[in-house]
Amino acid sequence: MFKTRLLSGILLVIIALVTVITGGELLFFVLLAVSLIGMAELYKVFGIEKKPSGIAGYIAATVYYGLLYFESSLPGEKLNWFMMLFMVYLICQMAILVFAYPKYNTQQIMAAFFGMFYVAVMLSYIYQTRILPDGIFTVWLVFVCSWGCDTCAYCVGMLIGKHKMAPILSPKKSVEGGIGGILGAALIGVLYGLAINYWGNAGADVLSYAIIGAAGGAISQIGDLAASAIKRYHNIKDYGKLIPGHGGILDRFDSVIFTAPIIYYLAIML
């Protein structure tokens, strides 16, 4: 099991390196595919992955990515296009609830609407961060914060963890581990900033990277626990089996989903 997890983890890192470094259309379409797979995993929990509400979600996500791709050439106020999509999508989901009544319950319809935002919209911020000025450096903070925090939290928790963070939801996670994860992510952010300044001449503000690392680390833990909460409520171990030893897309990217938008907006503000 460990060997399988290690090998698939290495392959995942290689794919991430190639797609994120290349950026552009490759990253865009890989994220679109990952988003649709992640949505299917979430929709399967609610039994709508092949139902009209789920199909409407896939279409809405694809249209959203289309608007994102052609954003620079959209006429008028760009935000209005995205808001119109979200309003039309909501109306479509409610129409499915009404005209198929009582075939689908409100929980399924809300899950369909929520899933499009939770997976597709939030993951798209990896691409949006990548196309920022110096985005080739900034985008790695998404992964540094989430996966770095997870590693630091685990190590600190194993060493000195005593107080449970969420005893019912995740008994193994501790407050000490959570704090260690945040501080570790901040430290990794500093080291990463120093590294790209030295080898990449990036001109990164190390203090900003520390703040982004700490904030991203804190948010990533909420993302991890949120994904776990959904699984616990529905009595499932993993969202999928796409990544051997890791589960599905949502099992591996649960923290990244929350971290990506935070990194994007902090990068713009700081």
Side-chain angles (χ1 to χ4, degrees):
M1 181 63 179
F2 174 76
K3 184 178 179 180
T4 301
R5 184 178 176 87
L6 178 63
L7 290 175
S8 60
I10 292 172
L11 179 61
L12 191 65
V13 169
I14 293 173
I15 294 173
L17 284 170
V18 172
T19 54
V20 174
I21 290 174
T22 304
E25 292 187 351
L26 176 62
L27 177 60
F28 178 87
F29 287 108
V30 167
L31 281 175
L32 172 57
V34 168
S35 296
L36 293 175
I37 295 170
M39 288 174 66
E41 291 176 352
L42 182 64
Y43 287 171
K44 189 175 181 179
V45 176
F46 296 90
I48 57 171
E49 74 277 13
K50 296 180 181 179
K51 302 293 176 61
S53 55
I55 294 171
Y58 306 140
I59 294 172
T62 304
V63 173
Y64 167 78
Y65 269 87
L67 290 176
L68 197 61
Y69 188 79
F70 294 106
E71 184 177 11
S72 60
S73 58
L74 292 175
E77 178 59 47
K78 297 177 177 60
L79 180 61
N80 289 337
W81 287 91
F82 291 95
M83 291 304 299
M84 181 174 65
L85 168 63
F86 300 148
M87 294 304 105
V88 170
Y89 178 48
L90 176 59
I91 292 169
C92 287
Q93 289 293 347
M94 297 309 292
I96 293 170
L97 176 66
V98 169
F99 294 113
Y101 185 86
K103 191 173 182 179
Y104 305 109
N105 58 50
T106 53
Q107 185 184 45
Q108 291 174 311
I109 297 300
M110 287 188 286
F113 187 76
F114 163 77
M116 186 264 193
F117 280 86
Y118 175 54
V119 183
V121 174
M122 294 181 79
L123 273 179
S124 75
Y125 279 92
I126 296 176
Y127 171 76
Q128 295 186 66
T129 303
R130 177 63 177 81
I131 62 176
L132 289 174
D134 291 327
I136 191 170
F137 299 116
T138 309
V139 70
W140 291 107
L141 286 171
V142 175
F143 304 98
V144 166
C145 291
S146 55
W147 293 343
C149 174
D150 185 53
T151 301
C152 292
Y154 175 78
C155 293
V156 173
M158 288 291 291
L159 291 172
I160 61 172
K162 293 182 179 179
H163 301 86
K164 302 299 181 183
M165 180 185 296
I168 298 176
L169 176 59
S170 186
K172 293 183 179 180
K173 293 186 184 298
S174 65
V175 174
E176 292 83 0
I179 295 172
I182 294 171
L183 295 177
L187 177 59
I188 293 173
V190 169
L191 295 176
Y192 176 68
L194 292 173
I196 61 175
N197 282 343
Y198 183 78
W199 283 295
N201 297 317
D205 184 343
V206 176
L207 177 60
S208 295
Y209 272 42
I211 296 172
I212 292 172
I219 295 299
S220 73
Q221 295 183 62
I222 297 175
D224 184 19
L225 289 169
S228 296
I230 296 173
K231 288 191 289 186
R232 297 296 182 273
Y233 273 121
H234 295 274
N235 296 313
I236 59 172
K237 184 179 183 295
D238 295 315
Y239 282 104
K241 299 178 181 179
L242 180 66
I243 310 171
H246 292 270
I249 291 294
L250 296 183
D251 295 296
R252 183 65 276 179
F253 289 88
D254 50 7
S255 56
V256 171
I257 286 172
F258 271 52
T259 306
I262 298 301
I263 300 303
Y264 173 82
Y265 288 111
L266 285 177
I268 290 176
M269 290 188 291
L270 295 177

